[in-house]
């Protein structure tokens, strides 16, 4: 006989990220281990509003830990911005007798959760986005995999870049956040890293390319976060200033796919497990966070505060190394 008839639900929302499946699996398995009924909400908040809520058995999360994407699907949902949508979302959960909603996603997804909490549902956020742009956590699920994807792609571009002696401008994801660009740029030894957080001077970057060429470099790689500016215009200006042939590669949604790195699969598992611990402790309005090298829970509304400052020291180091 089940000791615990309590019901909890898990939902993924916003952009998918590798490692989300590991987190879903952890919530389902650890939830069932503690005798909860665990429900999956399909298609994010869209699905919640339409009542796409199904109980998940142990076997429903078999063979997913190594898969990218999210097996319970995701969506971006306009209706959740309205008071009616938020009230309806909470009602759907109450109709199923669900006490807790665990939301895996970014800060926009947390806002939906916070609104639902006002209607009497307990909520927990798990940070899942490749952008690493959630305040309150040093790391998000999917970021490490995305950085590795960029590094792998650039190693292929390098072959053709050096054969033709070209400068490649590689656009990576990160609407408002330069973290993917910074980490990947540092990992590959990029000549320049362009991010939305820090102003840059294309004339200066061109001079650096010319200096490198005089020292015998046969190609250059510039990593540009999508939020840093129009990559085509940047490539054209660099060509005009430096005289080098430039090429643009936009890595796009490739960065969101693929098997999670070991680090992301572990992060997903540990954060999912920690969310169930928080349920057992009766906590609500919290986010699971990688903070000071520990997995802890922190207030959800931290995510709505000012952005975590960009790591300008690491950025400076990358610049010094690419002198
Ligand atoms: O938030 C994650 C992210 O991948 C951003 O880096 C990117 O700008 C955006 O999602 C793309 O969103 P969509 O898949 O809706 O085009």
């Amino acid at each position: 006989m089940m000791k615990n008839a309590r019901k909890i639900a898990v939902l993924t929302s916003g952009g998918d990220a590798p490692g989300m499946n590991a987190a879903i699996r952890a919530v389902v398995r650890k939830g069932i281990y503690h005798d909860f009924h665990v429900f999956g909400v399909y298609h994010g908040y869209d699905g919640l509003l339409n009542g796409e809520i199904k109980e998940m058995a142990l076997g429903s999360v078999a063979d997913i830990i190594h898969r990218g994407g999210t097996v319970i699907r995701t969506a971006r949902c306009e209706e959740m911005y309205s008071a009616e949508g938020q009230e309806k979302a909470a009602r759907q959960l109450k109709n199923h007798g669900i006490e807790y909603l665990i939301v895996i996603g970014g800060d926009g997804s947390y806002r939906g959760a916070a609104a639902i909490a006002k209607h009497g549902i307990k909520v927990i956020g798990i940070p899942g986005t490749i952008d690493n742009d959630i305040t309150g956590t040093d790391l998000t699920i999917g970021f490490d995999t995305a950085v590795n994807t960029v590094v792998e792609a650039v190693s292929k571009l390098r072959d053709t870049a050096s054969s033709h002696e070209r400068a490649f401008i590689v656009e990576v994801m990160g609407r408002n956040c330069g973290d993917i660009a910074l980490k990947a740029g540092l990992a590959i030894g990029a000549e320049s890293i362009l991010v939305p957080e820090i102003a840059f001077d294309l004339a200066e970057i061109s001079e650096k390319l010319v200096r490198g060429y005089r020292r015998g470099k046969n190609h250059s790689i510039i990593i540009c976060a999508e939020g840093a500016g129009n990559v085509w215009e940047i490539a054209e200006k660099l060509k005009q200033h430096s005289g080098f042939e430039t090429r643009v590669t936009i890595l796009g949604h490739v960065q969101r796919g693929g098997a999670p790195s070991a680090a992301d699969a572990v992060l997903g598992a540990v954060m999912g497990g920690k969310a169930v611990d928080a349920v057992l402790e009766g906590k609500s309005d919290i986010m699971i966070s990688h903070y000071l090298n520990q997995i802890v829970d922190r207030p959800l509304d931290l995510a709505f505060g000012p952005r975590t400052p960009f790591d300008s020291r690491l950025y400076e180091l990358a610049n010094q190394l690419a002198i």
Side-chain angles (χ1 to χ4, degrees), residues 14-16 76 128-131 133 172-177 180 226 252-253 255-256:
D16 59 317
R76 300 196 193 272
T129 163
I130 64 164
D131 287 4
D133 61 348
V172 301
M173 275 188 168
R175 257 180 308 210
N176 316 301
C177 178
I180 294 179
E226 61 178 333
H253 288 77
Q255 294 159 93
R256 287 232 299 254

Side-chain angles (χ1 to χ4, degrees), residues 114-173:
I116 289 174
K118 296 210 166 73
H119 295 278
I121 301 287
K122 293 189 181 122
V123 299
I124 297 172
I126 295 181
T129 163
I130 64 164
D131 287 4
N132 205 38
D133 61 348
I134 306 181
T135 304
T137 183
D138 297 334
L139 263 185
T140 60
I141 297 168
F143 173 63
D144 181 69
T145 309
V147 169
N148 279 294
T149 300
V150 174
V151 170
E152 202 182 319
V154 169
S155 83
K156 295 187 177 171
L157 288 176
R158 233 186 249 291
D159 294 339
T160 176
S162 50
S163 302
H164 285 267
E165 303 186 333
R166 285 169 172 160
F168 264 76
I169 296 91
V170 183
E171 186 191 277
V172 301
M173 275 188 168

Side-chain angles (χ1 to χ4, degrees), residues 244-280:
F244 287 120
E245 224 187 313
T246 53
R247 287 291 185 274
V248 170
T249 299
I250 299 178
L251 292 180
H253 288 77
V254 163
Q255 294 159 93
R256 287 232 299 254
S261 64
D264 273 330
V266 170
L267 190 63
V270 176
M271 286 188 158
K274 185 75 180 171
V276 176
D277 285 339
V279 171
L280 289 165

Side-chain angles (χ1 to χ4, degrees), residues 5-167:
R6 291 165 66 194
K7 297 178 180 175
I8 64 174
V10 59
L11 163 158
T12 47
S13 163
D16 59 317
M20 279 185 166
N21 281 331
I24 295 165
R25 174 179 176 271
V27 169
V28 172
R29 292 264 166 100
K30 186 161 170 155
I32 293 175
Y33 175 86
H34 286 288
D35 289 332
F36 288 100
H37 291 276
V38 186
F39 290 77
V41 178
Y42 288 75
H43 299 113
Y45 288 118
D46 251 350
L48 177 55
L49 294 171
N50 296 324
E52 291 183 59
I53 303 171
K54 278 188 236 150
E55 184 156 4
M56 298 184 83
L58 280 179
S60 68
V61 290
D63 206 24
I64 68 165
I65 191 166
H66 57 291
R67 290 185 204 283
T70 157
V71 291
I72 53 175
R73 312 291 181 236
T74 187
R76 300 196 193 272
C77 175
E78 281 299 314
E79 209 181 331
M80 269 304 285
Y81 291 108
S82 73
E84 297 75 37
Q86 294 159 4
E87 195 274 324
K88 185 175 170 192
R91 196 160 9 100
Q92 289 284 17
L93 293 164
K94 284 182 192 162
N95 288 345
H96 284 78
I98 292 167
E99 189 189 334
Y100 262 97
L101 179 65
I102 298 171
V103 173
I104 308 171
D107 58 343
S109 315
Y110 287 5
R111 281 184 199 280
I116 289 174
K118 296 210 166 73
H119 295 278
I121 301 287
K122 293 189 181 122
V123 299
I124 297 172
I126 295 181
T129 163
I130 64 164
D131 287 4
N132 205 38
D133 61 348
I134 306 181
T135 304
T137 183
D138 297 334
L139 263 185
T140 60
I141 297 168
F143 173 63
D144 181 69
T145 309
V147 169
N148 279 294
T149 300
V150 174
V151 170
E152 202 182 319
V154 169
S155 83
K156 295 187 177 171
L157 288 176
R158 233 186 249 291
D159 294 339
T160 176
S162 50
S163 302
H164 285 267
E165 303 186 333
R166 285 169 172 160

Side-chain angles (χ1 to χ4, degrees), residues 160-293:
T160 176
S162 50
S163 302
H164 285 267
E165 303 186 333
R166 285 169 172 160
F168 264 76
I169 296 91
V170 183
E171 186 191 277
V172 301
M173 275 188 168
R175 257 180 308 210
N176 316 301
C177 178
D179 279 20
I180 294 179
L182 175 61
K183 284 283 168 66
L186 197 57
I188 61 126
E191 270 63 35
S192 274
I193 302 170
L194 311 183
V195 295
E197 293 90 342
I198 295 190
F200 51 87
D201 177 351
L202 290 178
E204 228 171 71
I205 294 170
S206 301
E207 279 159 30
K208 193 200 272 189
L209 297 186
V210 173
R211 279 201 308 273
Y213 182 75
R214 290 204 187 110
R215 280 207 317 270
K217 277 192 183 181
N218 60 8
H219 71 273
S220 310
I221 306 282
I222 292 149
I223 303 285
C224 176
E226 61 178 333
N230 182 312
V231 72
W232 299 101
E233 286 172 11
I234 290 171
E236 189 49 40
K237 284 192 184 135
L238 284 177
K239 184 181 166 188
Q240 281 166 12
H241 283 299
S242 69
F244 287 120
E245 224 187 313
T246 53
R247 287 291 185 274
V248 170
T249 299
I250 299 178
L251 292 180
H253 288 77
V254 163
Q255 294 159 93
R256 287 232 299 254
S261 64
D264 273 330
V266 170
L267 190 63
V270 176
M271 286 188 158
K274 185 75 180 171
V276 176
D277 285 339
V279 171
L280 289 165
E281 290 161 25
K283 294 180 174 172
S284 180
D285 293 85
I286 54 159
M287 62 187 285
I288 307 302
S289 159
H290 185 287
Y291 183 58
L292 303 176
N293 278 325

